[in-house]
Amino acid sequence: MSFFTGVVVPIGAVFIGWYFANLKAEEKQQKDEQIQRIKLLRMLQQELETVIDHYETEGKYLLRNSIKAQAINNSPAFNADDHDEFFNLLWIYMRGYESLNTAIEAIPMLFPKQEEILKLSKTLFIHDSRKYDKLNTEMNKHVDEILKLSVEQIIDAAKPLLVEVNNQILLNSNVKTHPIG
């Protein structure tokens, strides 16, 4: 009997204490991950709403990179297995920004600078400023078309992503952490 009360009871008490401490720590970790997911989703939601609104009111792009989408993509609070549809839409949205940045970087190579157009017009004996203005307007029109196509790709991806973000916020707000055991 003294062996039982002297050895087994203290070891059992330590084990039970360890079990409940781990259970509580796991609950806290799940709650912290849920809070982190909601924070990231709300930041992305605000970005998407701002990007869409700015494009619809101004007709221009607002950002060159989506820092919030990159934060979610790199966050351990989300994984592709549990958030498959969400990540597919997020990656399409991020590819839109890659396309925009590629277009911005390629424009100087595709079209000469305005000074070079002026030099070219002088070498071709086009001294008329109206012709120079026409060349410059043509170039700006092509640049605007290239940027518009890239931005439309972002907006087309942002709208369904915003719907999915709203769904994810609702899902994560309604999730209750349950003790495991």
Side-chain angles (χ1 to χ4, degrees):
M1 187 64 153
S2 66
F3 174 76
F4 181 74
T5 58
V7 177
V8 175
V9 170
I11 290 174
V14 168
F15 177 74
I16 290 171
W18 170 82
Y19 175 78
F20 284 114
N22 277 348
L23 190 63
K24 197 68 167 165
E26 192 169 312
E27 285 178 17
K28 183 177 178 351
Q29 180 184 4
Q30 288 176 353
K31 185 68 175 169
D32 289 347
E33 285 179 2
Q34 178 184 4
I35 290 168
Q36 183 67 20
R37 275 193 299 273
I38 290 172
K39 282 181 182 179
L40 288 169
L41 287 167
R42 290 207 186 276
M43 289 186 334
L44 182 60
Q45 177 189 41
Q46 187 269 336
E47 176 185 298
L48 291 167
E49 289 170 349
T50 304
V51 165
I52 292 168
D53 182 57
H54 187 77
Y55 180 73
E56 289 176 351
T57 57
E58 303 288 326
K60 298 178 182 175
Y61 67 95
L62 183 63
L63 306 168
R64 280 200 54 189
N65 289 311
S66 174
I67 296 170
K68 282 125 183 147
Q70 291 173 358
I72 288 174
N73 191 45
N74 296 329
S75 173
F78 293 92
N79 63 57
D81 293 334
D82 296 337
H83 306 95
D84 186 36
E85 180 65 24
F86 172 68
F87 269 106
N88 286 335
L89 293 170
L90 183 71
W91 292 331
I92 292 169
Y93 178 66
M94 291 173 69
R95 270 187 245 121
Y97 279 105
E98 289 176 17
S99 173
L100 175 65
N101 287 320
T102 301
I104 290 170
E105 292 167 6
I107 286 170
M109 292 181 274
L110 295 174
F111 301 102
K113 295 179 182 173
Q114 293 163 335
E115 297 165 7
E116 292 172 2
I117 289 177
L118 183 58
K119 287 179 186 174
L120 181 64
S121 67
K122 286 181 180 177
T123 58
L124 297 175
F125 303 108
I126 306 173
H127 295 289
D128 190 356
S129 65
R130 289 176 298 201
K131 290 184 180 181
Y132 169 75
D133 290 340
K134 183 179 176 188
L135 284 172
N136 193 27
T137 303
E138 267 311 298
M139 183 186 82
N140 288 336
K141 185 175 114 183
H142 290 298
V143 168
D144 288 343
E145 287 174 15
I146 290 170
L147 292 177
K148 185 178 178 184
L149 289 172
S150 296
V151 173
E152 284 176 356
Q153 184 179 355
I154 293 169
I155 299 302
D156 290 345
K159 290 177 181 177
L161 180 58
L162 181 58
V163 172
E164 183 63 24
V165 166
N166 290 334
N167 291 339
Q168 288 293 323
I169 289 172
L170 285 173
L171 286 173
N172 282 287
S173 297
N174 293 331
V175 171
K176 304 284 186 218
T177 55
H178 297 287
I180 300 172

